[in-house]
Amino acid sequence: MTAYLGDVVNAVYVVAVIAFILGLKAMSSPETARRGIVYAGAAMLVAVAVTFVSPGLSNFALIALGVIIGGGVGWYWARVVQMTAMPQMVAVFNGMGGGSAAAIAAVELLSTLSNPTTSSLSLAGAIIGSISIAGSVVAFLKLQGWMRQKAIAYPGRQPISVTVLAVGVALGVYAVAGLNAIWLLPFFVLLLLYGVLLTLPIGGADMPVVISLFNALTGIAVALDGFALVNGPLGDAGYAMVIAGTLVGAAGSLLTILMSRAMNRSIRNVIFGAFGATEEVGGAVQGSMKPIDVDDAAVLMAYANEVIIAPGYGMAVAQAQQKVKELSDVLEAKGVAVKFAIHPVAGRMPGHMNVLLAEAGIDYSKLFDRDEIDPEFANADVVLVIGANDVVNPAARRQGSPLFGMPILDVDRAKNVIVIKRGQGKGFAGIENDLFYKDNCRMLYGDAQQVVGKLVTALKKS
Amino acid sequence: MISRVPVLLHTPLMSGSNFIHGIVLVGGIVALGIATTPLEQGIGLAAVIMGAMNVTGGYMVTVRILAMFDRSKRKGTPR
Protein backbone atom coordinates (compact mmCIF):
# COMPACT_ATOMS: atom_id res chain seq x y z
CA MET A 1 0.00 0.00 0.00
CA THR A 2 2.71 2.38 1.02
CA ALA A 3 4.78 1.53 -2.05
CA TYR A 4 1.74 2.04 -4.25
CA LEU A 5 1.01 5.44 -2.73
CA GLY A 6 4.66 6.34 -3.22
CA ASP A 7 4.36 5.60 -6.95
CA VAL A 8 1.29 7.82 -7.23
CA VAL A 9 3.08 10.64 -5.42
CA ASN A 10 6.05 10.22 -7.72
CA ALA A 11 3.90 10.33 -10.86
CA VAL A 12 2.13 13.45 -9.64
CA TYR A 13 5.45 15.24 -9.15
CA VAL A 14 6.51 14.33 -12.67
CA VAL A 15 3.27 15.71 -14.08
CA ALA A 16 3.59 18.83 -11.92
CA VAL A 17 7.10 19.54 -13.11
CA ILE A 18 6.06 19.15 -16.75
CA ALA A 19 3.16 21.54 -16.11
CA PHE A 20 5.60 24.07 -14.61
CA ILE A 21 7.78 23.93 -17.70
CA LEU A 22 4.82 24.28 -20.06
CA GLY A 23 3.36 27.02 -17.90
CA LEU A 24 6.56 29.05 -17.92
CA LYS A 25 6.83 28.58 -21.66
CA ALA A 26 3.25 29.80 -22.11
CA MET A 27 4.03 32.83 -19.96
CA SER A 28 6.68 34.00 -22.39
CA SER A 29 4.12 34.86 -25.07
CA PRO A 30 1.33 37.43 -24.64
CA GLU A 31 -1.44 35.27 -26.11
CA THR A 32 -0.88 32.31 -23.83
CA ALA A 33 0.46 34.01 -20.71
CA ARG A 34 -2.70 33.66 -18.64
CA ARG A 35 -3.05 30.00 -19.48
CA GLY A 36 0.53 29.51 -18.30
CA ILE A 37 -0.03 30.66 -14.74
CA VAL A 38 -3.20 28.57 -14.49
CA TYR A 39 -1.29 25.42 -15.53
CA ALA A 40 1.45 26.17 -13.06
CA GLY A 41 -1.06 26.98 -10.31
CA ALA A 42 -2.96 23.73 -10.77
CA ALA A 43 0.30 21.79 -10.77
CA MET A 44 1.38 23.47 -7.54
CA LEU A 45 -1.91 22.71 -5.84
CA VAL A 46 -1.69 19.02 -6.73
CA ALA A 47 1.98 18.77 -5.78
CA VAL A 48 1.33 20.28 -2.35
CA ALA A 49 -1.76 18.11 -1.82
CA VAL A 50 0.04 14.83 -2.53
CA THR A 51 2.92 15.84 -0.29
CA PHE A 52 0.41 15.97 2.55
CA VAL A 53 -0.70 12.39 2.02
CA SER A 54 2.72 10.99 1.29
CA PRO A 55 3.89 8.33 3.74
CA GLY A 56 6.40 8.84 6.52
CA LEU A 57 5.57 12.35 7.63
CA SER A 58 4.37 13.60 11.00
CA ASN A 59 3.50 16.97 12.56
CA PHE A 60 0.43 17.28 10.36
CA ALA A 61 -1.27 19.81 12.58
CA LEU A 62 1.75 22.10 12.45
CA ILE A 63 2.02 21.70 8.68
CA ALA A 64 -1.64 22.60 8.21
CA LEU A 65 -1.23 25.56 10.55
CA GLY A 66 1.79 26.82 8.62
CA VAL A 67 0.08 26.46 5.23
CA ILE A 68 -3.01 28.28 6.48
CA ILE A 69 -1.10 31.15 8.10
CA GLY A 70 1.44 31.64 5.30
CA GLY A 71 -1.00 30.96 2.50
CA GLY A 72 -3.63 33.23 3.97
CA VAL A 73 -1.25 36.13 4.59
CA GLY A 74 0.31 35.82 1.13
CA TRP A 75 -3.03 35.60 -0.64
CA TYR A 76 -4.61 38.48 1.25
CA TRP A 77 -1.59 40.76 0.99
CA ALA A 78 -1.18 40.20 -2.74
CA ARG A 79 -4.89 40.80 -3.27
CA VAL A 80 -5.27 44.08 -1.44
CA VAL A 81 -2.03 45.75 -2.46
CA GLN A 82 -2.06 48.58 -5.00
CA MET A 83 -1.04 47.66 -8.52
CA THR A 84 1.85 50.15 -8.27
CA ALA A 85 3.31 48.13 -5.41
CA MET A 86 3.64 44.96 -7.49
CA PRO A 87 7.43 45.18 -7.93
CA GLN A 88 8.05 45.12 -4.20
CA MET A 89 5.49 42.34 -3.79
CA VAL A 90 7.48 40.19 -6.19
CA ALA A 91 10.53 41.03 -4.08
CA VAL A 92 8.92 40.13 -0.78
CA PHE A 93 7.38 36.84 -1.96
CA ASN A 94 10.64 35.91 -3.59
CA GLY A 95 12.36 36.63 -0.28
CA MET A 96 9.88 34.32 1.46
CA GLY A 97 10.88 31.55 -0.94
CA GLY A 98 14.53 32.18 -0.18
CA GLY A 99 13.83 32.19 3.55
CA SER A 100 11.92 28.96 3.25
CA ALA A 101 14.83 27.39 1.38
CA ALA A 102 17.23 28.57 4.09
CA ALA A 103 14.97 27.21 6.84
CA ILE A 104 14.63 23.83 5.11
CA ALA A 105 18.40 23.69 4.82
CA ALA A 106 18.66 24.48 8.54
CA VAL A 107 16.36 21.58 9.45
CA GLU A 108 18.33 19.30 7.15
CA LEU A 109 21.60 20.41 8.71
CA LEU A 110 20.29 19.85 12.22
CA SER A 111 18.85 16.41 11.50
CA THR A 112 21.51 14.94 9.23
CA LEU A 113 24.67 16.81 10.10
CA SER A 114 26.67 13.59 9.97
CA ASN A 115 26.00 12.95 6.29
CA PRO A 116 28.65 14.93 4.39
CA THR A 117 26.82 14.87 1.04
CA THR A 118 23.49 16.22 2.22
CA SER A 119 25.20 18.58 4.64
CA SER A 120 27.27 20.28 1.98
CA LEU A 121 24.26 20.58 -0.33
CA SER A 122 22.14 21.98 2.49
CA LEU A 123 24.91 24.36 3.44
CA ALA A 124 25.02 25.71 -0.11
CA GLY A 125 21.24 26.03 -0.12
CA ALA A 126 21.37 27.83 3.22
CA ILE A 127 23.98 30.29 1.97
CA ILE A 128 22.08 31.23 -1.17
CA GLY A 129 18.66 31.18 0.51
CA SER A 130 19.83 33.48 3.33
CA ILE A 131 21.33 35.98 0.91
CA SER A 132 18.13 35.90 -1.11
CA ILE A 133 15.75 36.58 1.79
CA ALA A 134 17.87 39.33 3.36
CA GLY A 135 18.51 41.00 0.01
CA SER A 136 14.89 40.74 -1.10
CA VAL A 137 13.63 42.26 2.14
CA VAL A 138 16.01 45.21 1.74
CA ALA A 139 14.83 45.60 -1.87
CA PHE A 140 11.24 45.55 -0.62
CA LEU A 141 11.94 48.19 2.04
CA LYS A 142 13.65 50.42 -0.49
CA LEU A 143 10.90 50.16 -3.09
CA GLN A 144 8.21 50.61 -0.46
CA GLY A 145 9.94 53.79 0.64
CA TRP A 146 10.44 52.54 4.18
CA MET A 147 14.15 52.88 3.70
CA ARG A 148 16.40 55.34 1.92
CA GLN A 149 16.03 54.46 -1.74
CA LYS A 150 19.27 55.82 -3.02
CA ALA A 151 22.37 53.73 -3.15
CA ILE A 152 23.95 53.69 0.29
CA ALA A 153 27.68 53.72 -0.03
CA TYR A 154 30.24 53.77 2.71
CA PRO A 155 34.01 53.51 2.59
CA GLY A 156 35.42 50.02 2.49
CA ARG A 157 32.07 48.42 1.77
CA GLN A 158 33.48 45.76 -0.51
CA PRO A 159 36.17 44.45 1.85
CA ILE A 160 33.60 44.48 4.68
CA SER A 161 31.02 42.54 2.65
CA VAL A 162 33.56 40.03 1.42
CA THR A 163 34.87 39.48 4.97
CA VAL A 164 31.35 38.92 6.30
CA LEU A 165 30.68 36.42 3.53
CA ALA A 166 33.99 34.62 3.97
CA VAL A 167 33.73 34.33 7.75
CA GLY A 168 30.10 33.24 7.48
CA VAL A 169 30.86 30.51 4.95
CA ALA A 170 33.90 29.40 6.97
CA LEU A 171 31.74 29.04 10.09
CA GLY A 172 29.23 26.98 8.12
CA VAL A 173 31.92 24.70 6.75
CA TYR A 174 33.38 24.38 10.25
CA ALA A 175 29.98 23.44 11.66
CA VAL A 176 29.51 20.74 9.04
CA ALA A 177 33.07 19.42 9.14
CA GLY A 178 33.25 19.47 12.95
CA LEU A 179 29.69 18.19 13.35
CA ASN A 180 29.02 21.06 15.70
CA ALA A 181 25.64 22.61 15.01
CA ILE A 182 26.16 25.53 17.39
CA TRP A 183 28.26 27.32 14.76
CA LEU A 184 25.29 27.34 12.42
CA LEU A 185 23.74 30.22 14.36
CA PRO A 186 26.51 32.77 13.66
CA PHE A 187 26.72 31.29 10.16
CA PHE A 188 23.12 32.25 9.43
CA VAL A 189 23.47 35.66 11.08
CA LEU A 190 26.50 36.54 8.97
CA LEU A 191 24.95 35.28 5.73
CA LEU A 192 21.81 37.33 6.34
CA LEU A 193 24.00 40.33 7.10
CA TYR A 194 25.83 39.73 3.82
CA GLY A 195 22.52 39.79 1.93
CA VAL A 196 21.75 43.18 3.51
CA LEU A 197 25.22 44.57 2.80
CA LEU A 198 25.02 43.36 -0.79
CA THR A 199 21.74 45.17 -1.45
CA LEU A 200 22.26 48.42 0.51
CA PRO A 201 24.65 50.00 -2.00
CA ILE A 202 22.28 49.35 -4.89
CA GLY A 203 20.18 52.31 -5.99
CA GLY A 204 16.45 52.07 -6.51
CA ALA A 205 16.65 52.34 -10.28
CA ASP A 206 18.55 49.06 -10.44
CA MET A 207 16.12 47.21 -8.20
CA PRO A 208 14.30 45.30 -10.96
CA VAL A 209 17.57 43.72 -12.05
CA VAL A 210 18.44 42.88 -8.45
CA ILE A 211 15.03 41.37 -7.71
CA SER A 212 15.37 39.25 -10.83
CA LEU A 213 18.80 38.16 -9.64
CA PHE A 214 17.47 37.18 -6.20
CA ASN A 215 14.65 35.36 -7.95
CA ALA A 216 17.20 33.26 -9.83
CA LEU A 217 19.16 32.73 -6.61
CA THR A 218 16.08 31.48 -4.77
CA GLY A 219 15.53 29.02 -7.61
CA ILE A 220 19.07 27.73 -7.19
CA ALA A 221 18.69 27.48 -3.40
CA VAL A 222 15.48 25.46 -3.90
CA ALA A 223 17.28 23.14 -6.31
CA LEU A 224 20.14 22.63 -3.84
CA ASP A 225 17.69 21.85 -1.03
CA GLY A 226 16.00 19.43 -3.39
CA PHE A 227 19.29 17.61 -4.00
CA ALA A 228 19.77 17.29 -0.26
CA LEU A 229 16.24 15.90 0.17
CA VAL A 230 16.53 13.37 -2.65
CA ASN A 231 18.27 10.86 -0.37
CA GLY A 232 15.81 11.42 2.45
CA PRO A 233 12.50 9.81 3.31
CA LEU A 234 10.58 11.58 0.55
CA GLY A 235 13.06 11.73 -2.28
CA ASP A 236 10.53 12.41 -5.03
CA ALA A 237 9.69 15.79 -3.56
CA GLY A 238 13.41 16.51 -3.79
CA TYR A 239 13.46 15.73 -7.51
CA ALA A 240 10.52 18.05 -8.12
CA MET A 241 12.37 20.82 -6.27
CA VAL A 242 15.56 20.17 -8.19
CA ILE A 243 13.87 20.49 -11.58
CA ALA A 244 11.57 23.40 -10.74
CA GLY A 245 14.39 25.22 -8.91
CA THR A 246 16.82 24.75 -11.78
CA LEU A 247 14.16 25.96 -14.20
CA VAL A 248 13.69 29.17 -12.22
CA GLY A 249 17.44 29.55 -11.73
CA ALA A 250 18.01 29.36 -15.48
CA ALA A 251 15.03 31.45 -16.54
CA GLY A 252 15.73 34.00 -13.81
CA SER A 253 19.38 34.33 -14.79
CA LEU A 254 18.44 34.91 -18.41
CA LEU A 255 15.84 37.50 -17.43
CA THR A 256 18.40 39.26 -15.26
CA ILE A 257 20.77 39.46 -18.20
CA LEU A 258 18.00 40.72 -20.52
CA MET A 259 17.01 43.42 -18.04
CA SER A 260 20.49 44.72 -17.42
CA ARG A 261 21.06 44.70 -21.17
CA ALA A 262 18.00 46.94 -21.54
CA MET A 263 19.80 49.45 -19.32
CA ASN A 264 23.09 48.88 -21.13
CA ARG A 265 24.86 47.87 -17.93
CA SER A 266 26.54 44.69 -16.84
CA ILE A 267 25.21 42.76 -13.85
CA ARG A 268 28.58 43.24 -12.20
CA ASN A 269 28.20 46.96 -12.62
CA VAL A 270 24.69 46.90 -11.13
CA ILE A 271 25.76 44.99 -8.05
CA PHE A 272 29.13 46.53 -7.32
CA GLY A 273 28.76 49.94 -8.93
CA ALA A 274 26.87 51.66 -6.06
CA PHE A 275 25.26 53.53 -8.92
CA GLY A 276 24.04 57.01 -8.09
CA ALA A 277 25.72 57.12 -4.70
CA THR A 278 28.25 59.61 -5.93
CA GLU A 279 27.28 63.08 -7.05
CA GLU A 280 28.52 64.01 -10.47
CA VAL A 281 31.19 66.66 -10.19
CA GLY A 282 31.28 69.58 -12.56
CA GLY A 283 28.07 68.67 -14.37
CA ALA A 284 27.65 70.89 -17.39
CA VAL A 285 24.15 72.09 -16.52
CA GLN A 286 23.33 75.54 -17.80
CA GLY A 287 20.24 77.69 -17.78
CA SER A 288 17.33 77.35 -15.41
CA MET A 289 14.12 75.37 -15.02
CA LYS A 290 11.24 77.21 -16.65
CA PRO A 291 7.74 76.58 -15.32
CA ILE A 292 4.55 76.58 -17.38
CA ASP A 293 0.96 76.71 -16.16
CA VAL A 294 -1.79 74.27 -16.99
CA ASP A 295 -3.68 76.49 -19.45
CA ASP A 296 -0.61 77.28 -21.54
CA ALA A 297 0.33 73.62 -21.60
CA ALA A 298 -3.19 72.69 -22.70
CA VAL A 299 -3.12 75.22 -25.55
CA LEU A 300 0.28 73.99 -26.66
CA MET A 301 -1.05 70.46 -26.91
CA ALA A 302 -4.41 71.36 -28.42
CA TYR A 303 -2.75 72.95 -31.44
CA ALA A 304 -0.19 70.21 -31.93
CA ASN A 305 -0.27 67.68 -34.75
CA GLU A 306 1.43 65.02 -32.74
CA VAL A 307 1.88 64.56 -28.99
CA ILE A 308 4.07 61.84 -27.56
CA ILE A 309 3.54 60.91 -23.93
CA ALA A 310 6.51 59.50 -22.03
CA PRO A 311 5.36 58.08 -18.69
CA GLY A 312 7.54 57.08 -15.76
CA TYR A 313 7.37 56.05 -12.15
CA GLY A 314 5.68 59.33 -11.16
CA MET A 315 2.62 58.30 -13.15
CA ALA A 316 2.52 55.00 -11.31
CA VAL A 317 2.90 56.60 -7.87
CA ALA A 318 0.17 59.16 -8.56
CA GLN A 319 -2.13 56.50 -10.07
CA ALA A 320 -2.55 58.86 -13.00
CA GLN A 321 -3.08 56.26 -15.72
CA GLN A 322 -6.86 56.77 -15.93
CA LYS A 323 -6.44 60.53 -16.31
CA VAL A 324 -3.75 59.92 -18.92
CA LYS A 325 -6.23 57.81 -20.86
CA GLU A 326 -8.77 60.67 -20.67
CA LEU A 327 -6.12 63.13 -21.81
CA SER A 328 -5.28 60.95 -24.78
CA ASP A 329 -8.99 60.66 -25.68
CA VAL A 330 -9.55 64.44 -25.48
CA LEU A 331 -6.52 65.15 -27.63
CA GLU A 332 -7.56 62.61 -30.23
CA ALA A 333 -11.03 64.12 -30.35
CA LYS A 334 -9.29 67.34 -31.34
CA GLY A 335 -7.46 65.55 -34.12
CA VAL A 336 -4.10 65.34 -32.37
CA ALA A 337 -2.15 62.14 -32.93
CA VAL A 338 -1.17 60.64 -29.57
CA LYS A 339 1.56 58.08 -29.08
CA PHE A 340 3.17 56.63 -25.99
CA ALA A 341 6.91 56.19 -25.67
CA ILE A 342 7.75 53.35 -23.32
CA HIS A 343 11.29 53.11 -22.08
CA PRO A 344 12.19 49.50 -21.21
CA VAL A 345 13.02 50.38 -17.61
CA ALA A 346 10.56 53.20 -17.03
CA GLY A 347 8.90 52.65 -13.69
CA ARG A 348 10.37 50.10 -11.36
CA MET A 349 10.08 47.05 -13.55
CA PRO A 350 10.27 46.26 -17.23
CA GLY A 351 6.76 46.37 -18.61
CA HIS A 352 5.54 48.40 -15.61
CA MET A 353 4.22 51.21 -17.80
CA ASN A 354 2.65 48.84 -20.31
CA VAL A 355 0.76 47.15 -17.51
CA LEU A 356 -0.57 50.40 -16.06
CA LEU A 357 -1.55 51.90 -19.40
CA ALA A 358 -3.19 48.66 -20.43
CA GLU A 359 -5.10 48.75 -17.14
CA ALA A 360 -6.40 52.19 -18.05
CA GLY A 361 -7.64 50.83 -21.38
CA ILE A 362 -5.11 52.44 -23.71
CA ASP A 363 -4.73 50.47 -26.89
CA TYR A 364 -1.59 48.40 -27.39
CA SER A 365 -1.08 49.86 -30.84
CA LYS A 366 -0.35 53.28 -29.32
CA LEU A 367 2.46 52.02 -27.13
CA PHE A 368 5.88 52.15 -28.73
CA ASP A 369 9.21 50.77 -27.60
CA ARG A 370 12.20 53.04 -27.40
CA ASP A 371 13.65 51.78 -30.67
CA GLU A 372 10.42 52.33 -32.57
CA ILE A 373 9.61 55.79 -31.28
CA ASP A 374 13.06 57.34 -31.15
CA PRO A 375 13.06 58.73 -34.72
CA GLU A 376 9.58 60.18 -34.06
CA PHE A 377 10.61 62.65 -31.39
CA ALA A 378 12.01 65.15 -33.91
CA ASN A 379 8.57 65.26 -35.59
CA ALA A 380 6.57 65.63 -32.40
CA ASP A 381 5.22 69.06 -31.53
CA VAL A 382 4.93 68.26 -27.86
CA VAL A 383 6.40 65.51 -25.72
CA LEU A 384 4.65 65.23 -22.39
CA VAL A 385 6.89 63.60 -19.80
CA ILE A 386 4.82 62.32 -16.88
CA GLY A 387 6.90 61.50 -13.85
CA ALA A 388 9.86 60.13 -15.76
CA ASN A 389 13.33 61.43 -15.06
CA ASP A 390 16.45 59.34 -15.56
CA VAL A 391 15.12 57.60 -18.68
CA VAL A 392 14.77 60.97 -20.45
CA ASN A 393 17.99 62.52 -19.16
CA PRO A 394 20.18 63.57 -22.09
CA ALA A 395 23.16 63.44 -19.72
CA ALA A 396 23.27 59.77 -20.69
CA ARG A 397 24.71 60.86 -24.01
CA ARG A 398 27.54 62.75 -22.33
CA GLN A 399 30.77 60.99 -21.56
CA GLY A 400 31.62 61.12 -17.86
CA SER A 401 28.06 61.23 -16.61
CA PRO A 402 27.17 58.32 -14.32
CA LEU A 403 24.29 57.63 -16.69
CA PHE A 404 26.55 57.55 -19.73
CA GLY A 405 25.68 54.76 -22.13
CA MET A 406 22.20 54.07 -20.83
CA PRO A 407 19.75 54.19 -23.73
CA ILE A 408 17.29 57.02 -23.18
CA LEU A 409 14.23 58.45 -24.87
CA ASP A 410 15.51 61.39 -26.88
CA VAL A 411 12.57 63.59 -25.89
CA ASP A 412 14.73 66.74 -26.00
CA ARG A 413 14.70 66.51 -29.81
CA ALA A 414 11.01 67.43 -29.88
CA LYS A 415 9.89 71.01 -30.53
CA ASN A 416 8.42 71.35 -27.04
CA VAL A 417 8.85 69.25 -23.97
CA ILE A 418 6.50 69.54 -20.99
CA VAL A 419 7.60 67.74 -17.86
CA ILE A 420 5.05 66.94 -15.17
CA LYS A 421 6.97 66.58 -11.96
CA ARG A 422 6.16 66.72 -8.27
CA GLY A 423 9.04 68.99 -7.30
CA GLN A 424 12.46 70.11 -8.28
CA GLY A 425 14.18 67.03 -6.88
CA LYS A 426 16.45 64.69 -8.71
CA GLY A 427 15.52 61.35 -10.22
CA PHE A 428 16.04 57.94 -8.74
CA ALA A 429 19.63 57.82 -9.82
CA GLY A 430 20.19 61.06 -7.90
CA ILE A 431 21.55 62.84 -10.94
CA GLU A 432 20.69 66.33 -12.17
CA ASN A 433 18.59 66.16 -15.33
CA ASP A 434 19.97 68.27 -18.17
CA LEU A 435 16.62 68.08 -19.94
CA PHE A 436 14.90 70.37 -17.44
CA TYR A 437 17.32 73.17 -18.21
CA LYS A 438 16.92 73.05 -21.98
CA ASP A 439 15.28 75.93 -23.85
CA ASN A 440 12.51 73.80 -25.30
CA CYS A 441 11.56 72.33 -21.94
CA ARG A 442 8.88 73.61 -19.54
CA MET A 443 8.12 72.29 -16.09
CA LEU A 444 4.58 71.63 -14.91
CA TYR A 445 4.79 71.02 -11.19
CA GLY A 446 2.31 68.95 -9.22
CA ASP A 447 0.94 65.51 -8.57
CA ALA A 448 0.62 63.71 -11.91
CA GLN A 449 -2.99 62.67 -11.38
CA GLN A 450 -4.16 66.17 -10.43
CA VAL A 451 -2.15 67.95 -13.11
CA VAL A 452 -3.28 65.63 -15.89
CA GLY A 453 -6.86 65.99 -14.60
CA LYS A 454 -6.55 69.78 -14.84
CA LEU A 455 -5.11 69.45 -18.34
CA VAL A 456 -8.13 67.40 -19.39
CA THR A 457 -10.52 70.02 -17.97
CA ALA A 458 -8.64 72.84 -19.65
CA LEU A 459 -8.62 71.01 -22.97
CA LYS A 460 -12.33 70.30 -22.81
CA LYS A 461 -13.02 74.02 -22.31
CA SER A 462 -10.80 75.23 -25.13
CA MET B 1 13.01 29.43 -24.27
CA ILE B 2 13.14 32.73 -22.42
CA SER B 3 15.59 34.55 -24.66
CA ARG B 4 13.03 35.99 -27.10
CA VAL B 5 10.54 37.34 -24.59
CA PRO B 6 9.10 40.81 -25.29
CA VAL B 7 10.01 43.39 -22.65
CA LEU B 8 6.31 43.70 -21.94
CA LEU B 9 6.32 40.25 -20.41
CA HIS B 10 9.44 40.53 -18.30
CA THR B 11 7.52 41.46 -15.18
CA PRO B 12 4.85 38.74 -15.41
CA LEU B 13 7.53 36.22 -16.30
CA MET B 14 9.62 37.19 -13.31
CA SER B 15 6.54 36.96 -11.16
CA GLY B 16 5.58 33.62 -12.70
CA SER B 17 8.98 32.07 -12.12
CA ASN B 18 8.84 33.54 -8.62
CA PHE B 19 5.66 31.53 -8.15
CA ILE B 20 7.22 28.35 -9.52
CA HIS B 21 10.02 28.32 -6.97
CA GLY B 22 7.16 28.23 -4.48
CA ILE B 23 7.62 24.47 -4.92
CA VAL B 24 9.89 25.10 -1.95
CA LEU B 25 6.69 24.68 0.09
CA VAL B 26 6.81 20.96 -0.71
CA GLY B 27 10.30 20.87 0.76
CA GLY B 28 9.08 22.80 3.77
CA ILE B 29 6.32 20.27 4.36
CA VAL B 30 8.84 17.43 4.16
CA ALA B 31 11.25 19.25 6.47
CA LEU B 32 8.55 19.87 9.05
CA GLY B 33 7.19 16.37 8.50
CA ILE B 34 10.48 14.77 9.49
CA ALA B 35 11.32 17.25 12.25
CA THR B 36 11.62 15.71 15.71
CA THR B 37 13.06 18.24 18.15
CA PRO B 38 11.16 21.44 19.05
CA LEU B 39 13.91 23.50 17.41
CA GLU B 40 13.55 21.60 14.13
CA GLN B 41 9.79 21.90 14.35
CA GLY B 42 10.01 25.64 14.89
CA ILE B 43 12.33 26.18 11.94
CA GLY B 44 10.27 23.76 9.84
CA LEU B 45 7.11 25.69 10.66
CA ALA B 46 8.85 28.90 9.55
CA ALA B 47 9.82 27.14 6.31
CA VAL B 48 6.21 26.10 5.67
CA ILE B 49 4.80 29.56 6.46
CA MET B 50 7.29 31.33 4.20
CA GLY B 51 6.91 28.72 1.46
CA ALA B 52 3.12 29.05 1.56
CA MET B 53 3.43 32.84 1.31
CA ASN B 54 5.67 32.41 -1.70
CA VAL B 55 3.08 30.18 -3.37
CA THR B 56 -0.11 32.12 -2.75
CA GLY B 57 1.41 35.59 -2.99
CA GLY B 58 3.38 34.72 -6.12
CA TYR B 59 0.29 33.27 -7.76
CA MET B 60 -1.93 36.22 -6.89
CA VAL B 61 0.57 38.81 -8.07
CA THR B 62 1.08 37.01 -11.37
CA VAL B 63 -2.65 36.62 -11.98
CA ARG B 64 -3.28 40.28 -11.21
CA ILE B 65 -0.53 41.44 -13.55
CA LEU B 66 -1.71 39.19 -16.36
CA ALA B 67 -5.35 40.14 -15.84
CA MET B 68 -4.46 43.68 -16.90
CA PHE B 69 -3.17 42.49 -20.22
CA ASP B 70 -6.35 40.60 -20.78
CA ARG B 71 -8.62 43.52 -20.05
CA SER B 72 -6.86 45.71 -22.56
CA LYS B 73 -7.56 43.24 -25.34
CA ARG B 74 -11.27 43.86 -25.04
CA LYS B 75 -11.21 47.18 -26.79
CA GLY B 76 -13.50 49.94 -25.68
CA THR B 77 -14.82 48.27 -22.57
CA PRO B 78 -14.76 50.83 -19.80
CA ARG B 79 -13.56 49.60 -16.48
Side-chain angles (χ1 to χ4, degrees), chain A residues 13-23 43:
Chain A
Y13 286 137
V14 172
V15 173
V17 165
I18 293 171
F20 286 154
I21 297 171
L22 293 177

Side-chain angles (χ1 to χ4, degrees), chain B residues 20-76:
Chain B
I20 286 175
H21 68 52
I23 190 73
V24 74
L25 173 59
V26 167
I29 293 174
V30 174
L32 180 53
I34 59 172
T36 43
T37 66
L39 178 63
E40 289 173 12
Q41 287 174 341
I43 301 173
L45 181 63
V48 171
I49 291 176
M50 289 191 282
M53 274 183 78
N54 185 175
V55 169
T56 58
Y59 184 79
M60 199 54 181
V61 167
T62 313
V63 164
R64 283 187 62 187
I65 293 175
L66 288 175
M68 298 189 155
F69 291 109
D70 220 35
R71 195 182 295 136
S72 66
K73 279 183 195 150
R74 280 180 262 125
K75 276 182 199 172

Side-chain angles (χ1 to χ4, degrees), chain A residues 177-196:
Chain A
L179 303 182
N180 193 346
I182 197 75
W183 293 107
L184 289 174
L185 184 64
F187 158 77
F188 274 108
V189 171
L190 285 176
L191 261 300
L192 290 171
L193 179 64
Y194 177 71
V196 174

Side-chain angles (χ1 to χ4, degrees), chain A residues 13 20 24-25 27-30 33-34 37 40-41 44 48 51 57-59 62-63 66-67 70-71 74-75 78-79 81 83 86 90 93-94 96-97 99-101 103-104 107-108 110-111 208 211-212 215 218 222 229 233-234 237 241 244 248 251 255 258-259 322 349-350 354-355 358-359 363-364, chain B residues 1-36 39-41 43-73 75 79:
Chain A
Y13 286 137
F20 286 154
L24 201 60
K25 187 163 170 50
M27 271 184 264
S28 47
S29 152
R34 283 204 84 181
I37 185 67
M44 187 71 75
V48 171
T51 312
L57 298 184
S58 47
N59 297 325
L62 273 180
I63 293 174
V67 170
W75 188 263
R79 241 199 119 79
V81 79
M83 226 33 230
M86 283 302 154
V90 175
F93 292 128
N94 174 58
M96 290 301 114
S100 185
I104 294 165
V107 174
E108 275 290 296
L110 288 172
S111 58
I211 294 171
S212 178
N215 186 34
T218 303
V222 171
L229 287 174
L234 203 68
M241 287 169 68
V248 175
L255 255 182
L258 286 178
M259 285 185 188
Q322 282 300 334
M349 280 209 161
N354 307 63
V355 167
E359 182 199 19
D363 199 73
Y364 267 139
Chain B
M1 184 169 106
I2 306 292
S3 50
R4 281 173 297 129
V5 182
V7 172
L8 177 71
L9 281 180
H10 282 182
T11 302
L13 198 61
M14 191 203 301
S15 179
S17 56
N18 178 32
F19 165 71
I20 286 175
H21 68 52
I23 190 73
V24 74
L25 173 59
V26 167
I29 293 174
V30 174
L32 180 53
I34 59 172
T36 43
L39 178 63
E40 289 173 12
Q41 287 174 341
I43 301 173
L45 181 63
V48 171
I49 291 176
M50 289 191 282
M53 274 183 78
N54 185 175
V55 169
T56 58
Y59 184 79
M60 199 54 181
V61 167
T62 313
V63 164
R64 283 187 62 187
I65 293 175
L66 288 175
M68 298 189 155
F69 291 109
D70 220 35
R71 195 182 295 136
S72 66
K73 279 183 195 150
K75 276 182 199 172
R79 287 211 315 140

Side-chain angles (χ1 to χ4, degrees), chain A residues 266-350:
Chain A
S266 70
I267 293 168
R268 213 190 126 74
N269 186 247
V270 168
I271 296 171
F272 300 111
F275 184 76
T278 45
E279 300 279 324
E280 186 189 11
V281 279
V285 191
Q286 285 152 9
S288 60
M289 294 195 199
K290 294 162 286 290
I292 187 171
D293 65 27
V294 170
D295 291 332
D296 289 347
V299 169
L300 206 52
M301 283 194 280
Y303 291 97
N305 288 314
E306 181 174 348
V307 171
I308 299 178
I309 298 178
Y313 189 59
M315 182 188 82
V317 172
Q319 290 283 310
Q321 59 269 26
Q322 282 300 334
K323 292 286 173 203
V324 171
K325 156 84 172 146
E326 285 175 36
L327 179 69
S328 135
D329 290 346
V330 174
L331 285 171
E332 280 177 346
K334 289 183 182 293
V336 181
V338 180
K339 289 177 179 170
F340 289 84
I342 311 293
H343 189 279
V345 295
R348 288 294 172 269
M349 280 209 161

